[in-house]
Amino acid sequence: MRSSTIILFIINFVIAVQCVHYEPNWKSLDARPLPKWYDQAKIGVFIHFGLFSVPSYVSEWFWDFWRDPSSPYVWQHAQLLRFMRDNFKPNFTYADFGNNFQAEFFNATHWAEVIKKSGARYTVLTTKHHEGFTLWPSSYSFQWNSMALGPKRDIVGEFSAAIRKIGNIHLGLYYSLFEWFHPLYLRDMEHNYTTHEYVRLKARPELEELINTYLPDLLWSDGDAVYNDTYWNSTDILAWLYNDSPVKDVIVTNDRWGTNCHNKHGGFFDGPDRNNPDSLPKHKWESAISVDQFAWGYRREASLDQLLTIDELIHQLLKTISFGGNFLVNAGPSKDGRIMPIFEERLSQLGEWLEINGDAIYESQIYEKCQISKNNQTFYTMKSDAIYGITLEWPHEGSLEFECIDYNDVDQVTMLGSSESIKFGPGSNGTLVKFPKWIPGDTLKYAYSFKFHV
Ligand SMILES: *[C@@H]1O[C@H](CO)[C@@H](O)[C@H](O)[C@H]1NC(C)=O
Ligand SMILES: *[C@@H]1O[C@H](CO)[C@@H](O)[C@H](O)[C@H]1NC(C)=O
Ligand SMILES: *[C@@H]1O[C@H](CO)[C@@H](O)[C@H](O)[C@H]1NC(C)=O
Ligand SMILES: *[C@@H]1O[C@H](CO)[C@@H](O)[C@H](O)[C@H]1NC(C)=O
Ligand SMILES: *[C@@H]1O[C@H](CO)[C@@H](O)[C@H](O)[C@H]1NC(C)=O
Ligand SMILES: *[C@@H]1O[C@H](CO)[C@@H](O)[C@H](O)[C@H]1NC(C)=O
Ligand SMILES: *[C@@H]1O[C@H](CO)[C@@H](O)[C@H](O)[C@H]1NC(C)=O
């Protein structure tokens, strides 16, 4: 072939690949391969920020808990009625919190640095939670956005730019489909979701504006669970996202596209909040988990024992990664825009651990043979040339059996973060590994990774 023919051939091939066209039905949409970056990234930081960060009390569901008398959250409803009566003038509205939302210390560059230091390779920001208040000057959210009310800043814009600038972190944007009190939404609800005015005039065009303006790599959909995908017109949104949007080749999304979609349709599967399956899922999934066990938004009354310790976080991370999941860990900044030191500390502890042990985590694959030891203390991942055994224990006896690894397969064992040569031998049914000498104050902590070269 002459070189021009080869070039023509390549061009045709590229066009053929790019021209995959998705139809607005699940069969077609679910066949789209998940862009590779997502599975490789493994670790993300979730940020819940919004008008709810102003009262920062009980939950980011503050407005609904307070104002919805039919809310099943009876305790929270009573608590917030009391809180408002005791601390605010009569007739104070939720919108009045807007004046108190200054985000005066919000520094997107600093947030990006904190996220980077956590070892995260992606991040997800709430651009609009169920309250409907957008953190960007949405043309579909008149007077109910962070440019018109509160900080008078484009929080999403500043955040996106800072994340791009710092590099090697994929930008994810969270968007709530429903809004508790949007008049059009309430009307559709009264019509038992047989009308679609809210979706047609608000959610759909607003979501397109968000995507077209900030070009995220990940769209984290939420607030779908009031009705099925027919109401949300979800397949049509996704067909646009995958065929025609400016991010069609990189965009990754989740499964929150209607009550009938969870763990079934979309991109990766989020399942429920704090997703924690006990057996190996068949589809790429994510565990979204908050450092504050009781809320995603900042909660001033949170006590130390309600926050996950770094050991608990690492444990959950290992269970998630060995089962093929991604780990998305959440912190809620305060209304003035600070990621409070306790959350920053957790994230940086995570980063310190990943700095040493990241080789066993990033870009790893499921070790199909066995993911967790019987006592739930040791976890396994793999790459093409190695199996990783990561254990929460530092054995008193000085050695530990990695029961899922066949001694006959192992050429050499190294420990991540240690330069000592690691001795190993056959166990009762696995590989027995002699730990190096414990060095107090060493960088080795929380969990210990051994690389079995095979
Ligand atoms: C609260 O609103 C009600 C109804 O609009 C009004 O009658 C009342 O005077 C208001 N109370 C105060 C303290 O402003
Ligand atoms: C924002 O944070 C960055 C990084 O921490 C710092 O260099 C910069 O001075 C901060 N900007 C302001 C206005 O404080
Ligand atoms: C919505 O459904 C309820 C219960 O099935 C029914 O009573 C009501 O008439 C319906 N409303 C409309 C507008 O269809
Ligand atoms: C979704 O709801 C609509 C309207 O009630 C119904 O016709 C449709 O069958 C539902 N779809 C699924 C997948 O349940
Ligand atoms: C879904 O979106 C398509 C394309 O925008 C539109 O033609 C259709 O009417 C929408 N369906 C509903 C139920 O809103
Ligand atoms: C390990 O975890 C599984 C699933 O959570 C549980 O059923 C089992 O009892 C645990 N085993 C031990 C020894 O704790
Ligand atoms: C030996 O380990 C393998 C997994 O590596 C397991 O399937 C098997 O049941 C174990 N045998 C015994 C006797 O424990």
Side-chain angles (χ1 to χ4, degrees), residues 196 200 204 230-231 233 236:
H196 302 255
R200 191 169 66 83
R204 174 63 190 268
T230 314
Y231 173 65
N233 212 357
D236 198 78

Side-chain angles (χ1 to χ4, degrees), residues 15-25 28-33 204 208 211-212 234-251 253:
I15 289 170
V17 167
Q18 286 182 339
C19 278
V20 177
H21 185 84
Y22 296 96
E23 300 298 328
N25 61 62
S28 174
L29 297 167
D30 289 342
R32 176 179 182 258
R204 174 63 190 268
E208 284 193 30
I211 301 283
N212 288 332
S234 301
T235 52
D236 198 78
I237 295 175
L238 288 172
W240 170 76
L241 203 59
Y242 295 171
N243 291 324
D244 303 314
S245 82
V247 289
K248 64 191 173 67
D249 298 323
V250 292
I251 193 79
T253 186

Side-chain angles (χ1 to χ4, degrees), residues 32-141:
R32 176 179 182 258
L34 200 65
K36 283 208 173 54
W37 73 260
Y38 179 75
D39 177 49
Q40 293 171 345
K42 302 292 185 195
I43 311 291
V45 168
F46 210 169
I47 303 271
H48 271 67
F49 195 43
L51 209 49
F52 52 79
S53 311
V54 177
S56 51
Y57 183 56
V58 176
S59 169
E60 64 289 346
W61 276 64
F62 187 101
W63 193 10
D64 185 67
F65 287 171
W66 170 33
R67 285 301 202 193
D68 180 0
S70 69
S71 164
Y73 301 92
V74 175
W75 169 86
Q76 288 90 338
H77 180 57
Q79 182 80 1
L80 291 185
L81 283 175
R82 266 198 307 277
F83 174 75
M84 291 310 292
R85 187 198 59 204
D86 293 349
N87 297 290
F88 293 87
K89 290 204 181 85
N91 294 353
F92 188 94
T93 68
Y94 188 73
D96 292 334
F97 284 125
N99 299 321
N100 226 323
F101 187 28
Q102 298 303 323
E104 61 269 39
F105 298 128
F106 169 61
N107 178 337
T109 307
H110 182 64
W111 282 21
E113 285 173 356
V114 170
I115 293 165
K116 182 93 178 178
K117 234 178 114 189
S118 77
R121 301 252 166 116
Y122 68 106
T123 183
V124 180
L125 171 70
T126 54
T127 64
K128 183 196 86 171
H129 202 258
H130 313 325
E131 62 191 12
F133 185 86
T134 63
L135 293 187
W136 84 97
S138 163
S139 335
Y140 302 91
S141 196

Side-chain angles (χ1 to χ4, degrees), residues 336-351:
D336 51 20
R338 286 176 298 152
I339 296 173
M340 292 306 228
I342 189 76
F343 293 104
E344 183 177 351
E345 182 187 48
R346 282 295 174 281
L347 293 175
S348 80
Q349 288 168 324
L350 184 62

Side-chain angles (χ1 to χ4, degrees), residues 26 30 34 38 220 252-257 261-272 275 277 281-288 324-326:
W26 290 120
D30 289 342
L34 200 65
Y38 179 75
W220 213 98
V252 164
T253 186
N254 59 352
D255 58 347
R256 294 196 178 175
W257 291 104
C261 298
H262 302 180
N263 281 326
K264 216 159 149 192
H265 298 302
F268 64 86
F269 293 170
D270 265 310
N275 199 2
K282 292 191 174 62
H283 187 88
K284 182 65 199 179
W285 65 286
E286 178 181 74
S287 181
N326 271 23

Side-chain angles (χ1 to χ4, degrees), residues 179-378:
E179 295 174 21
W180 294 310
F181 303 116
H182 196 288
L184 291 176
Y185 171 73
L186 293 175
R187 208 156 57 189
D188 286 349
M189 184 170 72
E190 274 164 25
H191 289 95
N192 296 333
Y193 301 99
T194 53
T195 55
H196 302 255
E197 293 306 278
Y198 168 76
V199 179
R200 191 169 66 83
L201 298 169
K202 177 70 168 40
R204 174 63 190 268
E206 186 168 77
L207 190 51
E208 284 193 30
E209 177 185 279
L210 181 71
I211 301 283
N212 288 332
T213 310
Y214 303 105
L215 308 173
D217 293 345
L218 190 160
L219 168 62
W220 213 98
S221 176
D222 192 27
D224 60 314
V226 290
Y227 211 73
N228 77 24
D229 62 315
T230 314
Y231 173 65
W232 296 116
N233 212 357
S234 301
T235 52
D236 198 78
I237 295 175
L238 288 172
W240 170 76
L241 203 59
Y242 295 171
N243 291 324
D244 303 314
S245 82
V247 289
K248 64 191 173 67
D249 298 323
V250 292
I251 193 79
V252 164
T253 186
N254 59 352
D255 58 347
R256 294 196 178 175
W257 291 104
T259 42
N260 57 324
C261 298
H262 302 180
N263 281 326
K264 216 159 149 192
H265 298 302
F268 64 86
F269 293 170
D270 265 310
D273 291 356
R274 302 177 183 79
N275 199 2
N276 183 18
D278 276 325
S279 59
L280 185 62
K282 292 191 174 62
H283 187 88
K284 182 65 199 179
W285 65 286
E286 178 181 74
S287 181
I289 188 170
S290 185
V291 172
D292 179 351
Q293 298 182 68
F294 294 100
W296 300 83
Y298 181 59
R299 212 166 48 96
R300 287 173 296 156
E301 79 279 22
S303 59
L304 191 57
D305 63 306
Q306 293 170 336
L307 309 184
L308 293 176
T309 64
I310 184 60
D311 294 284
E312 289 166 327
L313 275 179
I314 299 274
H315 189 163
Q316 187 58 33
L317 177 154
L318 292 174
K319 190 172 178 215
T320 301
I321 301 294
S322 64
F323 274 171
N326 271 23
F327 190 65
L328 181 62
V329 56
N330 174 76
S334 58
K335 67 170 181 169
D336 51 20
R338 286 176 298 152
I339 296 173
M340 292 306 228
I342 189 76
F343 293 104
E344 183 177 351
E345 182 187 48
R346 282 295 174 281
L347 293 175
S348 80
Q349 288 168 324
L350 184 62
E352 282 171 39
W353 187 81
L354 285 163
E355 179 79 25
I356 303 278
N357 298 277
D359 189 32
I361 305 295
Y362 304 119
E363 294 171 23
S364 68
Q365 293 158 20
I366 297 167
Y367 181 45
E368 294 286 348
K369 181 171 149 192
C370 169
Q371 298 83 43
I372 306 189
S373 67
K374 287 198 189 69
N375 66 5
N376 296 334
Q377 295 292 300
T378 305

